[in-house]
Amino acid sequence: MKKILCILTGLLLLQAQANVLAAGLALTDGMGNTADFADYRTDGNGNLHLVWHDEDEDNGAGAIMYMLFNAAGDILIDRTQANIGGTGSANTWPSVNIDAAGLVYVVWHDTTDQEVYFMRLNPLLAPLDGTSSTAATINETGDALLGDVRLSAAGGANALHPRIRRDSNTNFHVVWESSNGGTVEYVK
């Protein structure tokens, strides 16, 4: 009986190993808990658009990072700081969505003023050769001097955990939590 259990256990382990599709790809190179809050969407061509918060970026203040992979898993745009940055505070909780033209829409929480910000990226402005790009190159919201666009009310200092989704009419909807009275806020 013991021999049969050992054989069955061995077969199950072999079966489990055969079902692994691929090994994980490390996207961050920092030590410890430096990257979190990842979100992704795929576009009509099967390309994967990935955003996350990385504490090691933007001189240690934390930044919203972006990568683009083609449908085969090859890197088209390597680790790129997507938000303008330079605020000295962490930019966290990114959420991403894509329109039919392949433009990328990202919202996030900025701890400088505790508000929700928005940017639109155009990956086609980058070389798509696997190298990094810059926020000024792919960020269509504004130039580096203007910064990113605030969605939540200025001075409210209460917007947390934003999420962005697109409806069937290609309208984008953004929701976030408000620590001011424990409400959920919405903008279209």
Side-chain angles (χ1 to χ4, degrees), residues 9-129:
T9 303
L11 288 173
L12 286 174
L13 286 174
L14 287 173
Q15 178 69 25
Q17 291 174 353
N19 289 336
V20 174
L21 297 178
L25 171 66
L27 301 177
T28 59
D29 55 8
M31 299 290 291
N33 187 21
T34 62
D36 48 17
F37 312 123
D39 193 22
Y40 71 94
R41 292 291 176 272
T42 55
D43 63 26
N45 296 319
N47 298 321
L48 180 113
H49 301 262
L50 174 69
V51 295
W52 72 96
H53 160 258
D54 197 319
E55 196 65 37
D56 284 345
E57 301 296 333
D58 200 14
N59 298 317
I64 305 304
M65 303 301 293
Y66 172 78
M67 281 183 81
L68 175 62
F69 299 84
N70 67 16
D74 301 317
I75 296 173
L76 297 177
I77 299 177
D78 205 354
R79 301 167 44 93
T80 297
Q81 181 174 333
N83 65 310
I84 301 301
T87 63
S89 295
N91 298 282
T92 65
W93 291 98
S95 179
V96 63
N97 219 305
I98 303 153
D99 70 12
L103 296 176
V104 179
Y105 298 79
V106 182
V107 295
W108 72 95
H109 168 234
D110 187 325
T111 62
T112 304
D113 56 7
Q114 304 298 322
E115 300 294 351
V116 172
Y117 283 79
F118 159 85
M119 72 180 111
R120 183 177 68 205
L121 306 175
N122 185 346
L124 297 178
L125 298 175
L128 302 180
D129 60 3

